């Protein structure tokens, strides 16, 4: 589309009054300027990206800076190309300044430096989201656009002053916001940046200090708020941008559903995961079937047992020994042992501390030998002393995290030593025949053990890298000598190759052996946790360990906790280890129709009378349908035939399989998702008590248009 000759507006016939040139002329001119600036920006960014990619890679910091610049340019290009004019969310006009300010996903200026779009996260854009009639924040009017295939298919004007109606279309029931709420769902979360509401925006823009809890029932936009808050903090606080953000969701379908949201906001470097992804054993871990065992492992106290479990294997020898070297025999006293074993820096993982112990032993022996013994030769000599190596291995062995935790579940005396508060019956319950038959309840302990122990292969990998560097340095020295010897120039320029700094610069560090970085290890500057009501005290330790600043966005609904949640958020989080906690609440249900909530509310009130059940602001006109399970295929067939867009979901059917535009999920895996049509199959089979009621409530409130409840075999 050429914006100079073709209108950017494509309004349906029923909204023809909004197509009045007097109402949209300013927008048309502005969109044309945006289109020109976009084209120019894309060309300039493409040229810069090509130049950076052609430039020499360099080494060390130079290579890192080049990679970061490639990533930055690529991310911005992707957003500009993906959205085009859709970058523009809307405009606002101030009471004291009649010149409209246009708000976009990103900031944009033209070649003359004129501001065409302000970034939605900037302070200048805050009134666009936060203004209300009670607090207009200096606005006279606001216009939001609804885009469809690159053209405006609707817009919604709001006015905040008595004389502000001039030049605006009349308000209607199909505003961009309301129409967006009723739109069809897809396999990915819809873009809702243009319809963020004031209560949501206030939470998005809150500061990052401490833990911010966003408590809200179904359909209140908790996930939307959490993801937009991550993008906002990355933009507004450079500290967070440097150290990164981690988003933790309840399951893989959730991560797939929200995958497009942060990239659509211009943020591509955010890590996303489930708790299972934080440890290698998580992928195959089963569910703990014994509720007593699950309760014990849910406690943060049991995670603390990892420290004494590791300390059990950190014992310097108490008797001296003679060490033979090519120079002379050396006596290592108990004090020498203690000095060497005290050498590791505080916080050094157990397995990685071995290198520091060995380095200190080498220094102690070298000092006793005197100046004639080079450190490297002393180190090689000590590593050949089998008795010495065996003594170090006994006093400070290399340990695998899985072996350490498995010993707790298979050696009762070891568990009693590390967790003396457990009763004999509790110790017995925690023992199992297959100690490594991991369950989800084991993951916090495995994670704590891995962090405390470190990588048992780190030392071996470091030695391989040191050997590779030494080999490359030796090769470079030989090449330099050959070049110098062959140099017959008058200035003997090749002689500069004798410089050690220049030879080191020629070493290709990228070709050296190294471990793949663990992108989920942290530390992160901020962590977003969705469906946080499900986390146990032990699971919170996995996340607190990855965010020392304790800067969190915690999103959840106590009424949707599978295992029940009778205490307050503050009580739960303080017990888990949080100290600065701010509580916020969302109480307006933007997603779930009134017809559905009318049936869902009694379900949860029956077991949780104080549940935060939000108030729905819209109806779908479609009553909840009840029928037999035999009607399933007919209902699906009729719905698919009558709806060319949208997603349906069958929840609770044990044999139903996914098909085009129809998902099949359990109540647990449906959490956090939304669908146009939801069909519950035998919901009474979802369980009893609080767990069963929560499962039914969660499943019912996934519907954005219609709910069908089928019963019977």
């Amino acid at each position: 589309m050429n914006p100079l000759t073709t209108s950017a507006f494509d309004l349906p016939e029923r909204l023809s009054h909004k197509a009045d040139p007097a109402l949209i002329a300013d927008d048309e001119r502005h969109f044309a300027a945006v289109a020109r600036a976009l084209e120019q920006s894309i060309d300039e960014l493409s040229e810069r990206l090509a130049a950076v990619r052609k430039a020499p890679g360099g080494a060390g910091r130079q290579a890192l800076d080049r990679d970061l610049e490639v990533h930055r340019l690529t991310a911005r290009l992707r957003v500009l190309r993906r959205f085009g004019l859709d970058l523009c969310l809307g405009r606002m006009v101030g009471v004291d300044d009649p010149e409209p300010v246009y708000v976009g996903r990103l900031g944009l200026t033209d070649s003359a430096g004129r501001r065409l779009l302000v970034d939605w996260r900037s302070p200048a854009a805050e009134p666009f989201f936060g203004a209300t009639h009670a607090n207009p924040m200096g606005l006279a009017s606001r216009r939001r656009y609804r885009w469809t295939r690159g053209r405006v298919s609707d817009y919604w004007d709001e006015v905040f002053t008595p004389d502000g109606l001039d030049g605006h279309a009349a308000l209607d029931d199909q505003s961009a916001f309301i129409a967006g709420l009723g739109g069809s769902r897809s396999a990915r979360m819809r873009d809702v940046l243009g319809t963020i509401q004031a209560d949501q925006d206030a939470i998005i823009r809150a500061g990052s200090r401490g833990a911010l809890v966003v408590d809200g029932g179904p359909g209140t936009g908790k996930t939307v708020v959490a993801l937009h808050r991550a993008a906002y903090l990355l933009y507004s606080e450079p500290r967070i941008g440097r150290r990164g953000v981690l988003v933790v969701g309840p399951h893989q379908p959730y991560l797939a559903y929200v995958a497009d949201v942060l990239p659509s906001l211009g943020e591509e470097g955010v890590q996303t995961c489930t708790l299972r992804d934080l440890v290698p054993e998580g992928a195959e871990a089963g569910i703990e079937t014994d509720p007593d065992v699950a309760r014990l492992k849910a406690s943060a106290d049991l995670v603390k047992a990892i420290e004494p479990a590791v300390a059990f294997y950190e014992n310097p020898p108490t008797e001296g020994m003679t060490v033979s070297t090519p120079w002379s025999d050396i006596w290592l006293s108990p004090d020498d042992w203690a000095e060497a074993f005290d050498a590791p820096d505080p916080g050094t993982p157990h397995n990685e501390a071995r290198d520091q112990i060995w380095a200190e032993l080498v220094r102690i022996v070298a000092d006793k030998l005197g100046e004639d013994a080079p450190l490297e030769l002393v180190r090689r000599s000590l590593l050949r002393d089998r008795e010495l190596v065996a003594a170090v291995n006994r006093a400070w062995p290399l340990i695998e995290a899985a072996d350490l935790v498995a010993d707790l579940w298979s050696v009762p005396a070891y568990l009693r030593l590390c967790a003396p508060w457990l009763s004999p019956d509790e110790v017995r319950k925690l023992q199992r025949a297959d100690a490594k038959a991991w369950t989800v309840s084991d993951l916090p302990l495995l994670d704590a053990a891995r962090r405390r122990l470190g990588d048992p292969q780190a030392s071996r990998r470091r030695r391989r890298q040191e050997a590779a560097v030494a080999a490359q340095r030796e090769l470079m020295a030989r090449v330099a000598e050959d070049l110098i010897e062959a140099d017959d120039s008058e200035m003997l320029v090749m002689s500069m190759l004798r410089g050690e700094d220049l030879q080191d610069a020629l070493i290709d560090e990228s070709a050296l052996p190294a471990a793949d970085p663990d992108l989920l290890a942290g530390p992160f500057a901020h962590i977003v946790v969705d469906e946080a009501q499900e986390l146990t005290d032990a699971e919170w330790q996995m996340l607190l360990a990855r965010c020392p600043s304790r800067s969190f966005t915690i999103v959840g609904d106590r009424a949707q906790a599978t295992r029940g949640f009778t205490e307050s958020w503050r009580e739960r989080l303080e017990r888990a280890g949080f100290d600065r906690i701010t509580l916020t609440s969302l109480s307006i249900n933007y997603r779930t129709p009134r017809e559905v909530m009318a049936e869902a509310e009694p379900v949860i009130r029956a077991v949780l009378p104080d549940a935060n059940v939000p108030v729905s602001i819209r109806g779908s006109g479609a009553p909840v349908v009840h029928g037999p399970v035999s009607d399933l295929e007919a209902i699906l067939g009729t719905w698919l035939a009558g709806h060319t867009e949208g997603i349906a979901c069958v929840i609770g059917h044990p044999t139903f399989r996914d098909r085009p535009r129809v998902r099949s999920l359990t109540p647990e895996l449906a959490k956090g998702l939304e669908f146009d049509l939801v069909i519950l199959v035998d919901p009474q089979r979802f369980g009893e008590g609080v767990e069963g009621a929560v499962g039914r409530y969660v499943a019912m409130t996934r519907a954005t248009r219609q709910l069908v409840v089928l019963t019977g075999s």
Side-chain angles (χ1 to χ4, degrees):
M1 179 185 72
N2 183 341
L4 298 178
T5 59
T6 305
S7 172
F9 286 78
D10 185 16
L11 300 171
E13 182 61 30
R14 60 183 173 76
L15 299 178
S16 58
H17 62 288
K18 290 187 175 184
D20 184 340
L23 298 176
I24 62 175
D26 288 345
D27 285 349
E28 293 278 27
R29 285 190 291 270
H30 197 81
F31 291 154
V34 169
R36 288 191 296 269
L38 278 174
E39 185 176 0
Q40 182 178 354
S41 294
I42 289 172
D43 289 343
E44 291 175 352
L45 286 169
S46 299
E47 291 176 3
R48 286 165 57 190
L49 180 60
V52 172
R53 283 176 168 162
K54 289 178 182 178
R61 181 70 197 185
Q62 183 182 1
L64 176 61
D65 290 342
R66 175 184 177 275
D67 290 345
L68 289 174
E69 181 66 2
V70 168
H71 176 77
R72 187 187 69 80
L73 293 172
T74 301
R76 186 168 178 90
L77 265 174
R78 187 178 294 116
V79 173
L80 294 182
R81 286 170 172 161
R82 174 179 178 176
F83 287 101
L85 290 179
D86 299 32
L87 282 172
C88 187
L89 303 169
R91 75 180 199 191
M92 53 186 175
V93 178
V95 172
D96 299 324
D97 185 358
E99 185 68 23
V101 174
Y102 288 80
V103 178
R105 298 174 184 279
L106 300 174
L108 185 70
T109 58
D110 62 15
S111 57
R114 182 169 68 102
R115 184 176 61 180
L116 298 177
L117 297 175
V118 299
D119 192 297
W120 71 273
R121 295 166 290 191
S122 68
E126 188 170 355
F128 180 77
F129 301 98
T132 65
H133 290 277
N135 178 21
M137 300 178 70
L139 292 192
S141 67
R142 169 173 58 197
R143 174 174 290 183
R144 301 178 193 256
Y145 305 113
R146 187 182 186 201
W147 294 89
T148 305
R149 292 182 289 277
R151 302 176 75 183
V152 177
S153 57
D154 192 5
Y155 66 90
W156 177 32
D157 283 338
E158 287 179 282
V159 295
F160 300 97
T161 59
D163 57 350
L165 284 173
D166 293 340
H168 295 283
L171 300 183
D172 57 67
D173 291 335
Q174 291 298 316
S175 68
F177 176 55
I178 297 298
L181 293 175
S184 297
R185 267 48 186 176
S186 68
R188 297 290 178 92
M189 176 174 273
R190 297 176 304 111
D191 166 42
V192 294
L193 180 55
T195 56
I196 291 291
Q197 298 301 288
D199 60 337
Q200 298 170 332
D201 187 63
I203 295 172
I204 290 170
R205 295 175 187 270
S208 65
R209 181 179 173 84
L212 177 68
V213 178
V214 185
D215 180 80
T220 54
K222 300 185 299 298
T223 298
V224 165
V225 166
L227 297 175
H228 287 69
R229 177 166 161 75
Y232 173 77
L233 291 176
L234 284 164
Y235 172 88
S236 64
E237 301 193 25
R239 170 188 65 85
I240 290 178
R242 287 192 298 270
R243 293 179 56 193
V245 170
L246 176 68
V247 175
V248 182
H251 45 64
Q252 287 300 328
Y254 166 92
L255 296 183
Y257 182 57
V258 304
D260 279 348
V261 175
L262 285 166
S264 77
L265 301 174
E267 301 296 345
E268 299 204 352
V270 176
Q271 299 298 323
T272 62
C273 71
T274 68
L275 288 174
R276 287 177 177 269
D277 299 324
L278 296 179
V279 290
E281 295 84 358
E284 303 298 327
I287 301 299
E288 180 58 65
T289 57
D290 187 326
D292 290 336
V293 172
R295 175 183 54 79
L296 290 170
K297 292 182 180 179
S299 167
D301 288 338
L302 203 54
V303 177
K304 295 174 184 175
I306 294 300
E307 178 58 37
V310 176
F312 179 78
Y313 293 100
E314 298 177 344
N315 301 292
T318 56
E319 297 182 0
M321 69 178 294
T322 299
V323 178
S324 297
T325 76
W327 300 272
S328 65
D329 290 346
I330 296 297
W331 173 253
L332 284 178
S333 69
D335 287 343
D336 293 330
W337 281 117
E339 182 180 354
F341 277 68
D342 283 341
D345 298 327
T348 303
H350 169 92
N351 290 324
E352 297 168 25
R354 290 244 307 194
D355 282 350
Q356 296 180 24
I357 292 173
W358 270 107
E360 188 65 12
L361 281 172
V362 170
R363 186 197 62 76
I364 290 171
V365 172
D367 286 349
K368 291 176 182 287
L369 289 170
E371 296 181 0
D372 294 335
L375 282 176
E376 178 58 24
L377 294 181
V378 173
R379 186 181 71 83
R380 294 178 185 178
S381 172
L382 296 186
L383 288 173
R384 288 193 295 267
D385 188 322
R386 292 184 178 180
E387 185 180 356
L388 177 63
V389 170
V392 173
N393 286 343
R394 287 192 300 271
W396 199 287
L398 290 175
I399 309 172
E400 293 278 357
D403 293 337
L404 184 93
V405 178
D407 285 348
L408 292 174
W409 308 154
S410 58
V411 183
Y414 185 46
L415 179 57
R416 284 196 297 271
L417 176 69
C418 301
W421 61 86
L422 294 175
S423 70
D425 185 56
E426 289 172 333
V427 170
R428 181 187 58 77
K429 282 181 177 292
L430 288 168
Q431 303 300 297
R432 62 188 182 206
D434 184 354
K436 292 186 177 180
W438 305 118
T439 69
V440 173
S441 299
D442 293 317
L443 301 186
L445 289 104
L446 288 163
D447 184 63
R450 186 163 282 103
R451 298 180 75 85
R452 177 63 177 83
L453 291 169
D455 184 358
Q457 299 300 319
S459 178
R460 185 176 304 165
R461 196 161 43 245
R462 190 178 299 111
R463 288 197 298 272
R464 286 203 307 268
Q465 188 168 30
E466 289 170 353
V469 169
Q472 282 209 30
R473 184 174 287 117
E474 184 178 346
L475 175 62
M476 291 299 169
R478 288 201 305 269
V479 171
E481 289 301 325
D482 290 344
L483 291 172
I484 292 169
E485 187 175 340
D487 183 15
D488 57 0
S489 66
E490 186 173 332
M491 300 293 293
L492 296 177
V493 293
M494 289 298 175
S495 61
M496 70 177 67
L497 292 175
R498 284 200 173 96
E500 186 174 333
D501 289 344
L502 181 57
Q503 291 184 20
D504 286 345
L506 296 175
I507 294 175
D508 182 7
E509 295 184 5
S510 65
L512 301 178
D516 293 333
D518 182 356
L519 299 179
L520 300 179
F524 294 94
H526 189 80
I527 295 182
V528 175
V529 188
D530 205 349
E531 302 295 344
Q533 72 277 356
E534 300 296 349
L535 270 63
T536 66
D537 292 357
E539 289 168 338
W540 278 115
Q541 307 313 303
M542 302 171 74
L543 302 182
L544 286 168
R546 286 165 169 78
C547 188
S549 67
R550 283 163 164 65
S551 175
F552 278 73
T553 300
I554 297 171
V555 181
D557 178 14
R558 293 168 59 245
Q560 295 186 61
T562 304
R563 293 179 292 271
F565 197 134
T566 57
E567 59 199 328
S568 69
W569 277 108
R570 188 175 298 280
E571 290 169 334
R572 169 74 62 89
L573 295 175
E574 285 180 346
R575 188 178 66 243
F578 288 90
D579 49 5
R580 300 188 302 269
I581 302 168
T582 302
L583 303 175
T584 62
S585 180
L586 294 171
S587 58
I588 300 174
N589 189 335
Y590 299 106
R591 178 187 69 206
T592 316
R594 286 188 291 268
E595 295 87 345
V596 173
M597 287 306 298
E599 292 219 10
E601 182 172 355
V603 171
I604 197 65
R605 293 274 190 221
V607 293
L608 296 172
D610 65 339
N612 179 12
V613 179
V615 177
S616 293
I617 65 169
R618 68 184 184 91
S620 66
V624 176
V625 174
H626 293 265
V629 175
S630 57
D631 286 350
L632 175 60
E633 292 295 340
I635 290 171
L636 279 175
T638 300
W639 186 84
L640 290 169
H643 298 79
T644 57
E645 295 181 338
I647 302 289
C649 185
V650 177
I651 301 179
H653 196 298
T655 60
F656 189 87
R657 297 291 178 262
D658 285 358
R659 60 183 69 169
R661 293 206 296 132
V662 182
R663 300 289 307 278
S664 176
L665 296 171
T666 64
E668 293 77 17
L669 291 181
K671 186 166 289 188
L673 308 181
E674 56 185 37
F675 308 94
D676 298 270
L677 169 69
V678 169
I679 302 176
L680 303 192
V681 177
D682 286 328
Q684 292 307 314
R685 294 184 181 178
F686 291 1
E688 299 178 352
V690 172
E691 183 174 351
V694 167
R696 288 185 284 277
Y697 179 64
V698 168
M700 296 171 80
T701 54
R702 300 309 94 196
T704 64
R705 290 190 178 182
Q706 186 169 24
L707 172 67
V708 175
V709 180
L710 303 180
T711 56
S713 302

